Amino acid sequence: MKKRGSLIVISGFSGAGKGTVAKRLVKDYGYSLSVSATTRAPREGEVDGVDYYFKSEADFKNLIDYNGFIEYARYVDNYYGTPRAFVERELASGHNVILEIEVQGALNIKSQYPDAILIFITAPSVEALKARLIGRGTEEAAVVAKRMRRASEEADEMINYEYIVVNDDLDECVHTVHSIVISKRCELNQNIDFIEVTKKGFEQI
Amino acid sequence: MKKRGSLIVISGFSGAGKGTVAKRLVKDYGYSLSVSATTRAPREGEVDGVDYYFKSEADFKNLIDYNGFIEYARYVDNYYGTPRAFVERELASGHNVILEIEVQGALNIKSQYPDAILIFITAPSVEALKARLIGRGTEEAAVVAKRMRRASEEADEMINYEYIVVNDDLDECVHTVHSIVISKRCELNQNIDFIEVTKKGFEQI
């Protein structure tokens, strides 16, 4: 029987590079990246099935009714959701599945998948984060300030996560996330069956 | 300030290769291996300071009186102990320290060092373990049977450990132990200070 994959939920500060970390986990370690569905219109350059699955509101609501999402939420006027079929299929075939999602979605997933691993990606310091938010491009001060306020809210959410990973060096950060996934499988509570089998094995000798 | 190293306690079935795993962690990842002190006589080929620190009973008892061991025990007629100075010095200078020790010593260390990581190394199955115990050399059936009984007792101790690591492939096993150490540093409870500093940092902007 193939061992079930792990479900990894990544959140983090805007600008902390969580999207890049997720993509590298796919590239370096063969993780499966879950693509969200949304009712918002595609932005320029966005590809259906790569950036999002773009759905009509009717289709989205129909999927809700048929339990098609492991979590979904409405932001402003649009729905966003994590399709259940992909996640279930990939986990069952032994692949580690990575989701990039906000805190409410993360907690929602944890309640359904108690073994899901909740990881928060952060910059090494507030100063570094600010430098990244500013350094990104040509944003105005007001845009940067808004992002910083959002980051401040995100900081309050860190306490909900099981692991805090600093993205100082990208390679190291990606390796650390993968180490967490490996480590998790060795935890005592993941190995109770193995221990019972081992103990029984000795009794039979 | 240098970040304190992690204290890793390894136990496991005789024949599961825990000694080899410990040596490889030293070689591959620069861990510091704690050498035990003992009052038993050196066996042929054993080197003082490498295999054990060989002590007289008077010296050993003196060290006990001066809090020189982080744990010690008496088996049959001999004392065995883990010297405190080495462990403390190495942890303080940021090195990961590895101890190979029995379950009672492991629990004793955990009570003093709550962040110590308790890892149990096992063979992939009872059959594999038996094959290793037999395959080691020219042991008689009675010796093998005795080892198997000991292994059966050890199986009952597995439940006291935080992580169960299967030593099927040595490279993978060593890498997994190192992954656990990396992972542990990212756990939420290891990062409470960092979160507080981050939150305060945003308040000041």
Side-chain angles (χ1 to χ4, degrees):
Chain A
M1 198 189 72
K2 211 154 193 178
K3 206 166 182 181
R4 204 172 151 82
S6 297
L7 182 56
I8 301 102
V9 179
I10 283 195
S11 305
F13 293 118
S14 319
K18 57 186 184 295
T20 311
V21 170
K23 283 191 191 78
R24 279 285 302 274
L25 287 163
V26 173
K27 185 167 163 279
D28 296 2
Y29 297 108
Y31 285 35
S32 300
L33 182 64
S34 164
V35 175
S36 296
T38 184
T39 57
R40 83 153 164 74
R43 293 182 191 139
E44 201 177 320
E46 285 185 339
V47 178
D48 186 44
V50 175
D51 299 290
Y52 284 98
Y53 291 105
F54 295 103
K55 299 281 179 195
S56 69
E57 193 163 315
D59 283 353
F60 199 102
K61 284 182 170 167
N62 193 39
L63 281 165
I64 293 173
D65 291 343
Y66 282 86
N67 200 24
F69 297 112
I70 60 175
E71 63 81 37
Y72 72 94
R74 192 180 169 125
Y75 292 114
V76 198
D77 283 337
N78 294 304
Y79 285 98
Y80 295 83
T82 302
R84 183 180 304 277
F86 175 84
V87 171
E88 284 293 343
R89 188 178 66 234
E90 292 299 304
L91 290 177
S93 57
H95 295 134
N96 297 323
V97 177
I98 190 152
L99 300 177
E100 194 196 322
I101 209 170
E102 302 291 310
V103 62
Q104 273 314 319
L107 295 176
N108 198 338
I109 284 170
K110 185 73 184 175
S111 71
Q112 294 173 71
Y113 297 83
D115 291 338
I117 306 169
L118 269 49
I119 299 176
F120 191 93
I121 306 283
T122 175
S125 69
V126 175
E127 290 65 34
L129 191 63
K130 197 172 177 186
R132 288 186 203 187
L133 292 175
I134 296 167
R136 233 185 199 179
T138 56
E139 275 80 40
E140 287 170 29
V143 174
V144 172
K146 191 180 166 190
R147 281 189 186 158
M148 291 301 279
R149 277 198 302 277
R150 175 71 195 118
S152 179
E153 290 164 19
E154 286 165 339
D156 293 333
E157 297 166 356
M158 291 171 83
I159 203 82
N160 293 301
Y161 289 78
E162 298 165 295
Y163 295 93
I164 310 294
V165 178
V166 173
N167 185 12
D168 194 0
D169 174 88
L170 178 63
D171 285 337
E172 195 183 326
C173 179
V174 171
H175 181 256
T176 298
V177 172
H178 186 57
S179 295
I180 290 169
V181 175
I182 291 175
S183 165
K184 201 78 182 172
R185 295 185 161 245
C186 299
E187 283 185 357
L188 181 68
N189 62 13
Q190 301 286 319
N191 288 281
I192 300 297
D193 290 350
F194 176 79
I195 292 174
E196 286 309 311
V197 168
T198 302
K199 284 168 72 173
K200 281 215 172 58
F202 282 117
E203 283 164 18
Q204 287 160 1
I205 284 163
Chain B
M1 199 189 73
K2 212 154 192 177
K3 205 166 182 181
R4 205 172 150 83
S6 298
L7 182 56
I8 301 103
V9 179
I10 283 195
S11 305
F13 293 118
S14 320
K18 58 186 184 295
T20 311
V21 170
K23 283 192 191 77
R24 279 286 302 276
L25 287 162
V26 173
K27 185 166 163 281
D28 296 3
Y29 297 107
Y31 286 34
S32 299
L33 182 63
S34 164
V35 175
S36 297
T38 183
T39 58
R40 83 154 164 74
R43 290 180 193 143
E44 200 177 320
E46 284 185 338
V47 177
D48 186 45
V50 174
D51 299 290
Y52 284 97
Y53 291 105
F54 295 102
K55 300 282 179 195
S56 69
E57 193 164 315
D59 282 353
F60 199 103
K61 284 182 170 169
N62 193 39
L63 281 165
I64 293 173
D65 291 343
Y66 281 86
N67 200 23
F69 297 112
I70 61 174
E71 62 79 39
Y72 72 94
R74 190 180 172 128
Y75 292 113
V76 197
D77 283 336
N78 294 303
Y79 285 97
Y80 296 82
T82 302
R84 184 180 303 277
F86 175 85
V87 171
E88 284 293 343
R89 187 178 66 232
E90 292 299 304
L91 290 177
S93 56
H95 296 133
N96 296 323
V97 177
I98 191 153
L99 300 178
E100 194 195 323
I101 208 170
E102 301 290 310
V103 62
Q104 272 314 320
L107 295 176
N108 197 337
I109 283 170
K110 185 74 184 174
S111 71
Q112 294 173 72
Y113 297 83
D115 290 338
I117 306 169
L118 269 48
I119 299 176
F120 190 94
I121 306 281
T122 175
S125 69
V126 175
E127 289 65 35
L129 192 63
K130 197 171 177 186
R132 288 187 203 187
L133 292 175
I134 295 167
R136 232 185 201 179
T138 54
E139 275 80 38
E140 287 171 29
V143 174
V144 172
K146 191 180 165 189
R147 282 189 184 156
M148 291 301 278
R149 277 198 302 279
R150 174 70 194 120
S152 178
E153 290 164 18
E154 286 165 339
D156 293 333
E157 297 167 356
M158 291 171 84
I159 202 81
N160 293 301
Y161 289 79
E162 298 166 295
Y163 296 93
I164 309 294
V165 177
V166 173
N167 185 12
D168 194 1
D169 174 88
L170 178 63
D171 285 336
E172 195 184 327
C173 178
V174 171
H175 181 257
T176 297
V177 171
H178 186 57
S179 295
I180 290 170
V181 175
I182 291 174
S183 164
K184 200 78 184 174
R185 294 183 163 247
C186 299
E187 283 185 358
L188 182 68
N189 63 13
Q190 301 286 319
N191 288 281
I192 299 298
D193 290 349
F194 176 80
I195 291 175
E196 286 310 311
V197 168
T198 303
K199 285 167 73 173
K200 281 215 172 59
F202 281 118
E203 284 164 19
Q204 287 160 0
I205 285 165

